[in-house]
Amino acid sequence: MKTDDATVPAHQLTKGQWFWHEPAPGLPAWQLQVNSAELLEDSVEIFTTDEERELVSYPRNRLVRLAGAA
């Protein structure tokens, strides 16, 4: 599995992009793929292709680490 150290603000994630979901500092991270995203006033809801973690929500400007395809 190849990882990429690049980060982007959560609101810039696009369909098909893989990213590391880090629920909180110190907790394990895992790769998710964006299916779609909805921008809200101060956050972004990211719908993923993962059946168990179908939806994650981040503040718009939270930096998200990109990942290679799983």
Side-chain angles (χ1 to χ4, degrees):
M1 179 180 349
K2 177 185 169 254
T3 60
D4 183 7
D5 289 330
T7 59
V8 296
H11 71 274
Q12 290 182 5
L13 288 170
T14 59
K15 183 176 177 124
Q17 206 164 27
W18 287 89
F19 67 99
W20 285 98
H21 172 58
E22 298 170 289
L27 292 178
W30 56 89
Q31 289 188 42
L32 294 175
Q33 186 178 32
V34 178
N35 188 33
S36 66
E38 182 178 339
L39 294 176
L40 304 176
E41 186 174 317
D42 59 353
S43 64
V44 58
E45 289 188 340
I46 302 163
F47 297 89
T48 74
T49 58
D50 189 295
E51 291 179 7
E52 292 182 33
R53 294 172 192 92
E54 197 170 11
L55 172 66
V56 294
S57 182
Y58 295 135
R60 276 183 174 238
N61 293 324
R62 176 179 169 170
L63 291 179
V64 178
R65 193 166 40 114
L66 300 179

